[in-house]
Structure formats: C-alpha cells, structure tokens
C-alpha cells in the first residue's frame, strides 16, 4: 500500500463518516419536530400531512444511508480489493488489447454498478414510493424503462467513450484538451436532441389544451418579453404523482413542459407563479451560468485526469497493476467524488442563491401570494419535510428550506 492509498482511504473514510453523521442528524431533527406543524404553516398543513412528510423523509434518508454503505463497500472491493484488476484481466483475455478491451472494461464496470443499484431502485419504487402513494409505475413499465435506459446509455455512451479512449491513446500530451472539446460538443448535442429524440422515448407530450390557462401564460410570457415555441403537457402521472415544470430546447425553439400532475393540483394563478419562477432562472441567466461553470469544472478535472493517468502511484494506490486509459477513467470517476464532497455546500449554496433570485423575479412578475400557496401545496403533495436539519440542508439542498423561502416571499407580498 503506497502513500496515495492511505490518502484515498482517509478521504473515503472522512466523506463517508460525514455523510453518515449528516444523515443521523437529519433523522433526529425531523423526528424531534414531528409532533407539531411549524407555527408559520398552521392552518395550511395538517398535522397528518406534516407527520406523513416526516415519515417519508426518514424512510428515504435511511435508504440513502444503506445505499451509501453499499456504494463504499463496492468501491473498496473494486479498488483496493483488486476487483477492477480482475475485471481488466477478464476483458483482456476475451478482447484484443487497446480500444476493444478498454471499452469492454468500461461496459463491465457500468453493468456491475447498474446491477448493484437495481435492488435499491426496485425497493425505492415499489416499496417506499408505493407506500406513500407516489408510485404509479407497473413492474412491466419499470423493466421497459430499464431496458430502454441501458440501450440509450449504450447508444450515446459507447461512441463517446470510444472517442475519448482513442484520444487518450493517440492524441499526445494535450489529449485532455481535445477530450474537453468533445465533451462540450457532446453535452450541447444532448441538450439539442433531448426534447425531440430522448424525452419522447419515455413520455408522451401533447399541446396544452386549457385555453384559459394558456392565455394567462401567454400574457405572462409577453410581460416578461419571453418567446417560446410551445406549451406542452407531459404524462408524468404515468410513473409518479410528483409534479414539476421545466424548459427544454434552445433559442427560439424553447418549449415549456408541464407535468400533468402539476396542472391537476395547482390553480391557474399558481401555475403562472411557478412558471414566473422558472422564467426567472432563464432571464437571470442561471441556466447559462450553470453550463459555463460545468464546462469550467470539466476543463479542470480533465486536466487533472491527464496528469494522474501518467502517475504510477495513482494506479498502484488504487489496487491496479496494469495501467491503461480505460482504467484511469474508471479510477478517476470512482475516487474523485470522495475528495470533492467537502465542496458540496458551496455548489448547493450557489443553487439556493439562484432559487431566491428566481423567487424574487416571480414576485415582481406574478403574485408572490400565488407562489407561496403553490409551494405549500407542493411541499404537502410531495411530502417534503418543513423541518430539515440545518447542516444536512446546507450540504444537500439545492432549494432553500421551506421556512426561509416562504418567509422571504412573504416579505415581498404587498
Ligand atoms: Zn427554481
């Protein structure tokens, strides 16, 4: 075991203990506040709904902790336990050296991780989500989605992986820079084909037919100086009763997609307020900023991978004796998240800042009161806890906690 192995083990232990501690705090905090609805929400959320949210949060948090333990066990078996080396030997014995055995190794590791996650995903869908009345998926649909997902991952992922592996082998010192260009092009292509090619594989999209709501939304869009190509409704109720709305597409071909579940539960003014919030994300350039950040981060991480793949200690420290580009990629993606976990509060904070800004935009262009009542309905219907542990929330929550968020909106009502 070299020094890097010890650094790696220390990072894995630190991140894992921190996650377990945050999870335990969250469970304790939610349970401690189970007995009473926070004063700010009395009259809007019943004690029953509050306790159902507490229960749902605790069940999901516990499931998350179990999945964490499994993930760490698999990581250690694959790296220091020699699992990856064994898989690489197997791929090498069946396939010609170079690109074919490299791709073979990536496929083996990808399939292994999918299989390990499968029982948890089945449990989460058919036990947890079903118990709280959220799951609308049949086993047949689950397996159809699973197979489609695998085929899609192969159709998109294999060509990308082949190009990157080829660059790693043949493009010299600056391969990581070319790989970064390929990665950006790939992501932009995904954004472009998602609405027309990928999303329709899983859901049906129909033009919005509620004339009154449509007119309301068109007025909001005109007020905000926003052009879209269409308002469409997605059959989200096919899988789950959780509701949502999102934007998709580029420039003038932008579309707004509403889950049917959202339209069923919110009144037209509430839908308008939620949409105004989403428009805020666009108008305030949050989407573009996020893409720029992601590309900047991937530039750094690809450079780092370019450096690490040339260091023998990187492979040895992670239990591998035959270095290869495919192995470097896998080790990197397995190990890096444990080193970057401490940065998570920063990215979560950045995201929460954007949520506040989008709320403010919504308050200016629609009615803050409607956004508040929409949020309360969504918290209730999605059984989101109103009382998360503050530290857990600081690490994980992309959206501000209910109390802070609604408090700020109330300050903006006139
Ligand atoms: Zn938002």
């Amino acid at each position: 075991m070299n020094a890097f192995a010890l650094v790696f083990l220390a990072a894995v232990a630190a991140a894992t203990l921190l996650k377990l501690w945050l999870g335990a705090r969250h469970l304790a905090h939610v349970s401690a506040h189970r007995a009473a609805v926070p004063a700010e929400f009395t009259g809007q959320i019943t004690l029953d709904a509050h306790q159902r949210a507490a229960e749902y949060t605790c069940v999901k948090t516990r499931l998350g902790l179990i999945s964490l333990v499994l993930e760490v066990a698999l990581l250690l078996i694959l790296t220091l336990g020699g699992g990856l080396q064994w898989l690489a030997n197997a791929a090498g014995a069946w396939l010609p050296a170079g690109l074919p055995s490299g791709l073979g190794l990536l496929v083996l590791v990808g399939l292994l991780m999918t299989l390990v996650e499968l029982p948890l995903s089945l449990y989460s869908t058919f036990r947890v989500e079903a118990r709280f009345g959220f799951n609308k998926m049949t086993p047949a649909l689950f397996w159809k989605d699973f197979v489609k997902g695998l085929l899609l991952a192969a159709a998109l992922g294999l060509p990308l992986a082949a190009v990157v592996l080829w660059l790693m082998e043949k493009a010299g010192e600056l391969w990581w820079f070319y790989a970064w260009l390929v990665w950006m092009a790939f992501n932009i292509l995904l954004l472009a084909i998602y609405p027309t090619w990928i999303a329709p594989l899983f859901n049906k999209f129909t033009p919005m037919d509620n004339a009154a709501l449509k007119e309301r939304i068109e007025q909001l869009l005109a007020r905000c100086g926003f052009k879209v190509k269409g308002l469409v409704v997605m059959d989200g109720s096919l899988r789950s009763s959780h509701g949502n709305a999102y934007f998709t597409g580029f420039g003038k071909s932008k579309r707004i997609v509403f889950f049917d579940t959202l339209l069923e539960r919110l009144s037209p003014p509430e839908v308008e307020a939620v949409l105004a919030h989403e428009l805020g994300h666009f108008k305030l350039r949050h989407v573009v900023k996020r893409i720029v950040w992601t590309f900047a981060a991937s530039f750094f991480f690809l450079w780092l991978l370019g450096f690490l793949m040339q260091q023998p200690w990187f492979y040895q420290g992670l239990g591998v004796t035959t270095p290869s580009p495919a192995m470097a990629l896998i080790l990197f993606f397995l190990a890096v998240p444990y080193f970057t976990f401490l940065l998570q509060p920063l990215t979560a904070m950045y995201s929460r800042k954007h949520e506040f800004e989008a709320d403010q935009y919504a308050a200016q262009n629609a009615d803050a009161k409607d956004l508040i009542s929409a949020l309360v309905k969504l918290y209730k219907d999605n059984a989101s806890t109103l009382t998360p542990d503050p530290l857990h929330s600081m690490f994980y929550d992309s959206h501000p906690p209910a109390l802070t968020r609604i408090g700020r909106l109330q300050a903006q009502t006139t």
Side-chain angles (χ1 to χ4, degrees), residues 277-278 281 354-355 358-359 399 405:
H277 169 97
E278 295 301 325
H281 282 310
H354 283 174
E355 293 307 324
D359 277 353
H399 287 64
R405 192 168 176 195

Side-chain angles (χ1 to χ4, degrees), residues 61-351:
T61 306
R62 270 186 230 114
L63 193 62
L65 294 179
I66 294 170
S67 133
L68 166 69
V69 171
L70 281 178
E71 186 188 294
V72 173
L74 181 65
L75 172 77
L76 296 178
I77 292 169
L78 282 176
T79 54
L80 301 180
L84 278 175
Q85 185 60 52
W86 188 85
L87 289 173
N89 296 344
W94 288 346
L95 296 162
L99 203 56
S101 67
L103 272 180
L105 178 61
L106 286 176
V107 170
L108 282 178
V109 173
L111 284 177
L112 179 70
M113 302 201 118
T114 310
L115 285 179
V116 171
E117 276 165 26
L118 188 57
L120 282 169
S121 159
L122 280 165
Y123 184 81
S124 164
T125 308
F126 295 106
R127 285 286 178 274
V128 178
E129 295 291 302
R131 181 177 142 199
F132 290 88
F134 293 129
N135 180 46
K136 297 282 173 263
M137 192 137 62
T138 58
L141 182 60
F142 181 92
W143 291 111
K144 220 168 109 185
D145 279 0
F146 181 75
V147 172
K148 274 192 219 166
L150 277 184
L151 293 176
L152 189 64
L156 294 170
L158 283 178
L160 175 71
V163 172
V164 171
L165 287 180
W166 181 82
L167 286 172
M168 289 172 95
E169 268 176 39
K170 308 279 185 208
E173 285 276 287
L174 278 178
W175 73 265
W176 61 272
F177 180 71
Y178 306 124
W180 181 65
L181 296 178
V182 169
W183 176 242
M184 286 199 299
F186 178 77
N187 273 283
I188 291 167
L189 176 78
L190 267 192
L191 282 176
I193 65 170
Y194 183 80
T196 39
W197 293 94
I198 299 178
L201 292 175
F202 297 92
N203 283 97
K204 277 204 186 68
F205 295 83
T206 45
M208 177 180 274
D209 55 7
N210 181 335
L213 181 59
K214 224 171 133 178
E215 200 188 312
R216 199 171 241 289
I217 290 172
E218 275 159 5
Q219 278 169 8
L220 170 73
L221 294 174
R223 236 178 13 254
C224 300
F226 206 82
K227 284 199 177 57
V228 296
K229 206 174 170 201
L231 301 174
V232 288
V233 180
M234 188 187 106
D235 59 344
S237 56
L238 186 64
R239 295 188 178 80
S240 152
S241 60
H242 291 297
N244 210 345
Y246 68 89
F247 280 92
T248 173
F250 279 123
K252 288 200 188 84
S253 67
K254 271 196 293 291
R255 296 197 301 174
I256 302 172
V257 178
F258 296 93
F259 283 39
D260 53 358
T261 39
L262 189 84
L263 296 184
E264 254 166 47
R265 270 181 262 143
L266 300 188
S267 71
E270 289 168 344
V271 172
E272 181 188 339
V274 167
L275 182 60
H277 169 97
E278 295 301 325
L279 283 176
H281 282 310
F282 248 86
K283 279 279 164 177
L284 302 167
R285 304 206 156 272
H286 294 162
V287 183
V288 177
K289 280 181 198 162
R290 184 165 291 240
I291 292 176
V292 170
W293 265 108
T294 314
F295 284 161
S298 53
F299 183 86
F300 167 74
F301 282 112
L302 278 166
W303 167 83
L304 181 64
L305 171 59
F307 166 77
L308 287 174
M309 73 175 286
Q310 292 173 329
Q311 315 304 319
W313 51 258
F314 175 63
Y315 300 93
Q316 284 158 14
L318 296 175
V320 168
T321 48
T322 51
S324 73
M327 191 59 101
L329 262 182
I330 294 167
L331 291 176
F332 189 75
F333 282 109
L334 286 178
V336 158
Y338 292 89
F339 289 92
T340 55
F341 181 65
L342 279 175
L343 296 175
Q344 195 157 310
L346 287 179
T347 51
M349 193 173 71
Y350 186 61
S351 165

